[in-house]
Amino acid sequence: MFKGFGAKPARTPCSAQALRKRVLRDGVLPAIDPVVDLYNAISIEYAIPVGGEDLAAYVGTPRLVIADGSECFDTLKEGLPIQEAPAPGEVVWRDDLGVTCRRWNWRQGIRTRLSLSSPRMWFILECLPPMPRTALWDAGDRLIAGLTQMMPGARIEQTLVE
């Protein structure tokens, strides 16, 4: 799927592959924030890309689109904030202001970064064949259970997008 829109898996692997490589190299799952750590653990356990974003930071509706190359993406390079543009034809998540996540689920932007204090959170768990749909639901249930434990009383909605 990723090769289909021009991503080179060896150079820009999906988030699940990149995270697995870091864990194998370092011997530990990186600690970022309790919410991010939770969805990263689920990504490793189920070998699926999982992304989480601060929905309150979105302007307009999140949408998965093919980039034309003029979109703005805020990220970090060597610890410093920079602006990039996705390649034309790249699959990206975006809102009315710009790209929030590049190459489907490869790198998330700064503006919509999640933390435990984010008032509205949005998660994407991705499933491509041959992964059984039941495993996707199991991963979603694990995420919901972890979020409910961290944030008792949180209102959680779950939707399957096909």
Side-chain angles (χ1 to χ4, degrees), residues 2-162:
F2 287 80
K3 285 181 183 180
F5 63 82
K8 295 179 174 77
R11 192 175 131 238
T12 55
C14 76
S15 63
Q17 291 171 320
L19 184 59
R20 181 180 182 274
K21 185 177 177 181
R22 275 179 81 183
V23 170
L24 289 173
R25 181 191 68 213
D26 300 342
V28 65
L29 188 64
I32 299 169
D33 173 272
V35 175
V36 176
D37 298 349
L38 171 65
Y39 77 70
N40 278 345
I42 291 166
S43 178
I44 290 291
E45 181 177 351
Y46 289 89
I48 60 171
V50 178
E53 303 214 28
D54 183 347
L55 191 56
Y58 267 75
V59 175
T61 305
R63 52 202 181 270
L64 188 63
V65 301
I66 296 174
D68 65 21
S70 68
E71 299 88 351
C72 181
F73 177 69
D74 60 331
T75 189
L76 296 173
K77 186 172 185 175
E78 299 175 7
L80 299 173
I82 63 164
Q83 298 285 318
E84 293 179 349
E90 185 178 315
V91 177
V92 298
W93 282 100
R94 68 158 300 150
D95 66 1
D96 294 347
L97 288 183
V99 173
T100 60
C101 189
R102 290 195 55 197
R103 294 191 181 102
W104 203 333
N105 188 352
W106 167 63
R107 181 182 295 163
Q108 292 172 277
I110 298 169
R111 178 171 52 91
T112 59
R113 185 181 285 170
L114 254 187
S115 74
L116 192 55
S117 63
S118 298
R120 295 179 64 211
M121 300 177 187
W122 178 58
F123 299 91
I124 297 289
L125 288 75
E126 297 175 1
C127 165
L128 296 172
M131 181 182 183
R133 185 71 50 88
T134 55
L136 176 67
W137 285 109
D138 290 347
D141 290 345
R142 292 286 301 273
L143 179 61
I144 289 169
L147 292 170
T148 301
Q149 186 175 3
M150 276 188 241
M151 296 167 270
R155 193 184 87 194
I156 298 173
E157 298 174 22
Q158 187 176 24
T159 304
L160 178 65
V161 178
E162 297 196 58

